[in-house]
Amino acid sequence: MIVSVQQAKYELLAYIKEFDATFSNWYVGIADNPKRVLFDVHGVRDAQDPWLYKQLLTARAARTVQSYFTEHLKTRGVPPESESEDFDCIYLYKIDQHTKQD
């Protein structure tokens, strides 16, 4: 389901507060295939680690949400190198010893 910028912010904030309200313990990113990035790139464990993703209407909307979390709330996260409009999903996971942030 595609969500708005405000809905994505609300749902991600609620999820963070449910598991660990320390924003620096979370990574927020943008991807075109968030599950692949979460599990294959970042090493998130599907059944053990807290993670979530949401699809937004546009890549610009996803960048807006990521910017809010990384710049204002100080989560970790790196903007995608590509300006592709395909990057319309925002994802987050709780950082752990086995996850990779870069």
Side-chain angles (χ1 to χ4, degrees):
M1 176 165 77
I2 296 175
V3 298
S4 69
V5 168
Q6 292 300 356
Q7 185 68 28
K9 286 180 183 179
Y10 174 79
E11 289 186 29
L12 270 64
L13 277 170
Y15 195 78
I16 288 171
K17 289 180 179 180
E18 180 180 340
F19 288 98
D20 180 352
T22 305
F23 293 112
S24 61
N25 290 340
W26 293 86
Y27 185 100
V28 177
I30 300 172
D32 60 339
N33 186 340
K35 283 189 172 183
R36 183 190 64 75
V37 173
L38 281 162
F39 306 132
D40 297 344
V41 176
H42 293 295
V44 172
R45 296 176 182 160
D46 185 11
Q48 294 88 11
D49 296 328
W51 61 272
L52 179 72
Y53 76 89
K54 296 291 175 181
Q55 184 177 10
L56 287 98
L57 188 58
T58 65
R60 183 176 180 187
R63 287 185 191 95
T64 298
V65 174
Q66 186 194 35
S67 174
Y68 173 75
F69 280 90
T70 58
E71 294 176 18
H72 298 290
L73 299 178
K74 305 302 182 196
T75 64
R76 296 189 193 175
V78 178
E81 294 177 12
S82 171
E83 292 294 320
S84 170
E85 287 300 310
D86 292 335
F87 289 82
D88 62 352
C89 291
I90 190 86
Y91 66 89
L92 84 151
Y93 66 89
K94 187 169 184 298
I95 297 168
D96 203 330
Q97 292 178 345
H98 63 271
T99 59
K100 302 171 210 70
Q101 285 77 62
D102 295 324

